[in-house]
Amino acid sequence: MPPPADIVKVAIEWPGANAQLIEMDQKRPLSSIIREVCDGWSLSGAEQFALRYADGPQLYITEQSRGEIKNGTILRLAISPARAARQLLERIQSHGIDARLEALKELAKLSADPTFAAEFINMEGIGTLARLVESGTHFGEMLAFTLTAFLELMDHGIVSWDLISLSFIKQIAGYVNQPMVDVSILQRSLAILESMVLNSHSLYHRVAQEITVGQLIGHLQVSNQEIQTYAIALINALFLKAPEDRRQVMLFVHQHVIRGNRPIKAEMAHQLYVLQVLTFNLLEERMMTKMDPNDQAQRDIIFELRRIAFDGENDPAGTEKRKAMYTKDYKMLGFTNHVNPAMDFTQTPPGMLALDNMLYLAKVHQDTYIRIVLENSSREDKHECPFGRCAIELTRMLCEILQVGELPNEGCNDYHPMFFTHDRAWEEFFCVCIQLLNKTWKEMRATAEDFNKVMQVVREQITRALAMKPSSLDQLKNKLRGLNYSEILRLRQSERMSQDDFQSPPIIELRERIQPEILELIKQQRLNRLCEGSCFRKLGNRRRQEKFWFCRLSLNHKVLHYGDLDESPQGEVPFELLSDKIPVSDIKSVVTGKDCPHMKEKSALKQNKEVLELAFSVLYDPDETLNFVAPNKYEYCIWTDGLCALLGREMGSDLTRSDLDTLISMEMKLRLLDLENITIPEAPPPVPKEPSSYNFTYNYS
């Protein structure tokens, strides 16, 4: 007979004594259980003790967290959080350097525990640490542990960052500005400043007075990628509060980070993505600004476009003859409103950003601009490409593709190296794309009626080229040359064939016959991947110290094993390193997206949209959950499909259906290779039971 659900079998350790094996009744008060354990070792003062986990982060167990204890867990009897906080506070203020160092080292470790942190903060512990930093008398390891403990305590959100003094900020900023400072101290100082900027508007102004972006750029030139990551994170935090010219930063990042010999780690990739997003978001104001047709300064920009294209030199002042020809010139420039082209820029997006792009092309790449305008304005066969209309629609399209104005997505690493290579990367990107548009227009022999079709092809050319991650604008041009209109048609046809192969009735019948077998094959593939396991990132309030956990299915498909990791693994993690487990028989259901317990508070936030799409949870007896955020859509589909298959339910994600179509198409093609026609016999041979009897494999890796 299985034990009651409220009984958990655990081992409890105490230094110098044999472990106690007890059956913990979760209905009993925790204080009663601790008193019983103390009596077993003849320890008095049970109220001065508490239970902690013996492995992992070794967190204190409270009435609120005790439900997480599993059968077989090893616990440790320890002094209570309040007693530990009091003792450490006394030792930190002692005169012995060695005793103080050991106390700070232990404090840095314990401060990650929210129960201990609350007790230490209630004893004015943060003020004590702040005074130690402000005194300027701590160096080396002692200072590093002090800063670590301070940061951990503040990250619990128990006290406000607004309480930080100006002298503390100056001291921390001084460590960042020093030319030679210990790496561990520099890392923690950058992280503290980042948290100040992100958590307090008033502190942002104080930090901005002590630290400039120019000073932080110097930290991008070091060989330590961790320091580079912290520096970019602080730069991004400053930019979030006060956008400014980021071009110098982008170029330094390209030179010292992207072009470095070291691989870009996940956290660095995310910070680069954030920097890219924030840089593009500087365009939002112009993108959402309508042109005022009565503003002479704005109208002068349109006059300048006309002058560069058709006059070569400035018009003589007051020349009425030339002004009478403006309407004809504006038509040749490709504006929709020939009489008052300012009206073409009153829609947002792209607003004035389109006019900015056109003026940049006309001034910086004048020969290209004149060639595009003149070769189309002189045509009389209705195949002219309207430059003005194309430039406006292209700007709108580029804003959509690069999501100008959108907030960074949590966990996204999708940065483009080429945007870090030029101080005017956006404008140069537009110039490359407008030439592509003009070229594609000619290849399609398009007329005004084909405008939308051309724009669709151009969008596909640009998105396919960006997906190849060109490292420079020159590489982008090379990619686009290979994606001409003929190649786009070929790719479309190829993809259409792979998706809609053989729609004749005999093939549809064959598809229906082999579909159950292919579904079983996909199910086995999913389960095999779950047995290999995957690494997941833990989401927290900060991104400086990434933490991971690993989950994998037992080879007999009966148990889910999982556990915390210090860093992302390079391969499979052995079962013996995964301390926690869930019997598959206890799993009740799998939920996704906004139905997940850990997404209920985040689902409304714009920046968490991508996290929401990658979230899923396993609900198991009695009322427990195991929460996941997949690293990408592929892993999300693998795990959700595999878990549903494990529970005997129908798989249903988009990726599964796509895989199914691909597998069935591959299977049909192989079967049809030996057929002279595609007529299905009345009495077909039985379908073999083993998928391996077919000469194909499907690899998810």
Side-chain angles (χ1 to χ4, degrees):
M1 182 176 179
D6 294 322
I7 301 298
V8 182
K9 295 182 178 181
V10 299
I12 302 180
E13 299 176 338
W14 175 255
N18 294 327
Q20 295 187 37
L21 303 179
I22 69 169
E23 292 186 353
M24 179 182 290
D25 187 350
Q26 295 287 48
K27 292 182 178 179
R28 289 178 59 192
L30 196 57
S31 58
S32 174
I33 296 173
I34 294 173
R35 186 178 300 108
E36 183 178 300
V37 171
C38 288
D39 291 342
W41 284 313
S42 301
L43 298 175
S44 59
E47 67 279 358
Q48 297 293 319
F49 292 93
L51 292 178
R52 292 171 59 184
Y53 288 98
D55 301 318
Q58 301 181 10
L59 300 178
Y60 278 102
I61 295 169
T62 64
E63 291 289 355
Q64 292 73 32
S65 65
R66 63 185 296 181
E68 300 175 5
I69 302 174
K70 304 294 188 299
N71 278 320
T73 301
I74 300 177
L75 305 179
R76 179 176 297 159
L77 185 67
I79 61 174
S80 67
R83 184 179 174 188
R86 191 179 307 108
Q87 289 182 359
L88 284 176
L89 198 56
E90 292 172 356
R91 289 163 59 193
I92 288 170
Q93 299 176 84
S94 68
H95 297 291
I97 295 179
D98 292 339
R100 189 183 304 177
L101 177 60
E102 289 302 315
L104 287 169
K105 187 181 299 185
E106 187 175 348
L107 177 63
K109 181 179 179 180
L110 277 176
S111 294
D113 188 301
T115 308
F116 170 84
E119 296 289 349
F120 190 81
I121 291 171
N122 286 338
M123 298 176 185
E124 303 296 330
I126 285 183
T128 300
L129 295 180
R131 286 189 292 274
L132 291 177
V133 174
E134 292 169 5
S135 68
T137 58
H138 284 56
F139 305 97
E141 271 191 315
M142 191 172 293
L143 177 58
F145 287 124
T146 303
L147 296 179
T148 300
F150 179 87
L151 186 58
E152 291 285 359
L153 292 167
M154 292 300 296
D155 271 342
H156 291 293
I158 299 174
V159 295
S160 172
W161 282 89
D162 289 319
L163 300 177
I164 303 302
S165 68
L166 181 58
S167 60
F168 182 87
I169 297 174
K170 287 180 176 292
Q171 193 68 37
I172 297 296
Y175 299 138
V176 174
N177 292 330
Q178 286 180 15
M180 298 294 293
V181 67
D182 185 78
V183 170
S184 58
I185 294 174
L186 178 57
Q187 287 179 346
R188 289 154 179 79
S189 298
L190 289 168
I192 290 173
L193 291 175
E194 179 199 359
S195 292
M196 288 180 184
V197 172
L198 292 177
N199 290 286
S200 171
H201 185 71
S202 61
L203 287 187
Y204 153 70
H205 293 290
R206 296 180 179 178
V207 172
Q209 292 174 354
E210 303 296 330
I211 295 287
T212 66
V213 172
Q215 291 168 318
L216 293 174
I217 286 176
H219 294 301
L220 300 181
Q221 303 178 47
V222 301
S223 58
N224 188 321
Q225 190 172 120
E226 296 300 320
I227 294 296
Q228 292 177 328
T229 303
Y230 288 129
I232 293 178
L234 179 53
I235 290 171
N236 287 336
L238 292 169
F239 285 160
L240 274 172
K241 294 291 184 178
E244 58 184 77
D245 193 345
R246 298 181 174 89
R247 294 187 181 114
Q248 186 182 9
V249 177
M250 299 288 277
L251 293 176
F252 265 86
V253 167
H254 179 261
Q255 181 178 355
H256 298 288
V257 179
I258 296 177
R259 291 184 61 185
N261 297 323
R262 302 172 307 282
I264 301 296
K265 296 181 181 179
E267 176 60 17
M268 173 62 83
H270 175 74
Q271 295 299 342
L272 294 176
Y273 155 77
V274 172
L275 180 57
Q276 173 185 289
V277 170
L278 297 179
T279 301
F280 285 143
N281 284 355
L282 291 177
L283 306 169
E284 184 179 14
E285 181 178 358
R286 294 293 284 175
M287 179 183 75
M288 301 306 296
T289 300
K290 297 181 180 180
M291 185 171 186
D292 182 1
N294 298 318
D295 189 321
Q296 186 60 44
Q298 295 180 1
R299 294 174 61 187
D300 285 344
I301 299 176
I302 299 178
F303 295 156
E304 182 69 3
L305 292 174
R306 190 208 62 79
R307 183 196 67 77
I308 294 174
F310 302 117
D311 292 348
E313 297 179 357
N314 290 326
D315 288 335
T319 305
E320 297 297 331
K321 182 178 179 180
R322 290 300 302 168
K323 290 183 179 180
M325 299 177 63
Y326 281 1
T327 298
K328 179 182 177 181
D329 290 346
Y330 292 146
K331 181 179 180 180
M332 295 169 66
L333 275 171
F335 288 112
T336 302
N337 192 319
H338 308 153
V339 177
N340 186 5
M343 299 302 297
D344 286 13
F345 301 95
T346 56
Q347 291 188 359
T348 58
M352 290 294 290
L353 184 59
L355 188 59
D356 295 341
N357 287 341
M358 295 165 69
L359 184 63
Y360 181 87
L361 175 68
K363 288 192 170 184
V364 178
H365 300 279
Q366 191 170 117
D367 292 343
T368 299
Y369 168 70
I370 293 174
R371 174 178 57 80
I372 292 175
V373 172
L374 294 185
E375 75 177 15
N376 287 288
S377 62
S378 61
R379 301 185 67 166
E380 297 181 357
D381 55 1
K382 297 184 179 180
H383 290 284
E384 66 275 5
C385 176
F387 169 74
R389 183 184 178 191
C390 287
I392 293 171
E393 290 303 315
L394 177 63
T395 302
R396 188 200 315 275
M397 178 196 299
L398 297 183
C399 290
E400 292 174 355
I401 292 174
L402 298 177
Q403 299 180 329
V404 175
E406 297 287 333
L407 291 174
N409 282 320
E410 177 75 17
C412 183
N413 300 335
D414 187 23
Y415 74 96
H416 296 280
M418 70 176 185
F419 291 125
F420 294 82
T421 62
H422 199 284
D423 61 347
R424 302 296 293 270
W426 164 264
E427 291 86 349
E428 290 293 323
F429 182 49
F430 168 83
C431 294
V432 171
C433 293
I434 193 67
Q435 294 178 73
L436 168 71
L437 195 160
N438 187 61
K439 175 174 172 285
T440 302
W441 185 284
K442 289 187 290 185
E443 291 173 350
M444 295 177 65
R445 293 190 56 78
T447 62
E449 289 76 15
D450 302 314
F451 184 86
N452 291 333
K453 295 179 182 178
V454 175
M455 297 305 295
Q456 290 174 4
V457 173
V458 171
R459 175 186 284 268
E460 187 171 345
Q461 290 171 313
I462 294 171
T463 53
R464 287 181 182 273
L466 287 177
M468 300 177 193
K469 298 293 183 183
S471 60
S472 65
L473 290 166
D474 288 335
Q475 277 199 17
L476 174 67
K477 295 176 185 177
N478 292 332
K479 303 293 185 186
L480 291 173
R481 289 191 196 102
L483 290 169
N484 55 34
Y485 179 52
S486 299
E487 177 64 10
I488 293 295
L489 290 179
R490 188 193 68 78
L491 290 171
R492 285 180 174 179
Q493 181 68 14
S494 174
E495 292 170 358
R496 190 178 300 115
M497 287 294 294
S498 65
Q499 295 171 1
D500 304 318
D501 259 349
F502 307 119
Q503 295 301 315
S504 62
I507 300 303
I508 293 176
E509 185 177 346
L510 176 58
R511 174 190 292 265
E512 292 175 353
R513 287 182 184 177
I514 68 174
Q515 180 167 325
E517 184 180 352
I518 302 302
L519 277 172
E520 182 61 26
L521 175 60
I522 294 176
K523 175 181 175 181
Q524 292 304 319
Q525 288 277 10
R526 293 292 197 257
L527 293 177
N528 290 341
R529 279 288 289 108
L530 264 62
C531 290
E532 295 174 8
S534 297
C535 180
F536 300 91
R537 183 171 58 83
K538 284 191 171 184
L539 290 183
N541 294 327
R542 69 179 194 272
R543 301 185 49 82
R544 296 179 305 280
Q545 297 176 352
E546 211 164 23
K547 297 182 179 180
F548 303 90
W549 66 287
F550 197 89
C551 186
R552 62 183 298 192
L553 179 66
S554 63
L555 300 181
N556 62 5
H557 298 176
K558 293 185 180 296
V559 179
L560 275 179
H561 296 263
Y562 65 97
D564 293 337
L565 301 175
D566 293 331
E567 58 184 18
S568 180
Q570 299 301 316
E572 290 186 9
V573 176
F575 288 110
E576 54 268 22
L577 296 182
L578 304 176
S579 57
D580 299 308
K581 58 185 178 181
I582 300 172
V584 172
S585 59
D586 289 350
I587 297 178
K588 295 187 290 188
S589 64
V590 177
V591 297
T592 61
K594 62 182 180 181
D595 295 326
C596 297
H598 60 312
M599 289 292 113
K600 292 187 182 299
E601 296 181 358
K602 297 185 177 183
S603 58
L605 298 179
K606 188 177 182 182
Q607 59 266 43
N608 286 311
K609 178 181 178 182
E610 182 168 326
V611 175
L612 188 66
E613 294 174 349
L614 298 177
F616 61 98
S617 297
V618 171
L619 309 184
Y620 61 97
D621 287 331
D623 291 306
E624 304 292 335
T625 63
L626 184 61
N627 298 317
F628 299 74
V629 175
N632 50 55
K633 191 66 175 177
Y634 170 76
E635 289 290 335
Y636 171 85
C637 293
I638 288 290
W639 275 85
T640 53
D641 287 346
L643 290 170
C644 289
L646 196 63
L647 300 180
R649 298 173 183 167
E650 181 182 356
M651 294 179 291
S653 75
D654 292 338
L655 186 60
T656 299
R657 287 193 286 271
S658 173
D659 290 344
L660 176 62
D661 290 340
T662 302
L663 285 168
I664 291 178
S665 297
M666 293 170 62
E667 173 65 4
M668 287 190 297
K669 290 175 184 177
L670 289 168
R671 289 194 179 195
L672 293 173
L673 287 177
D674 297 328
L675 298 179
E676 294 182 359
N677 55 63
I678 59 174
T679 303
I680 302 297
E682 293 183 2
V687 178
K689 294 182 179 180
E690 294 295 331
S692 59
S693 61
Y694 305 130
N695 297 320
F696 79 98
T697 59
Y698 190 80
N699 188 2
Y700 284 95
S701 60

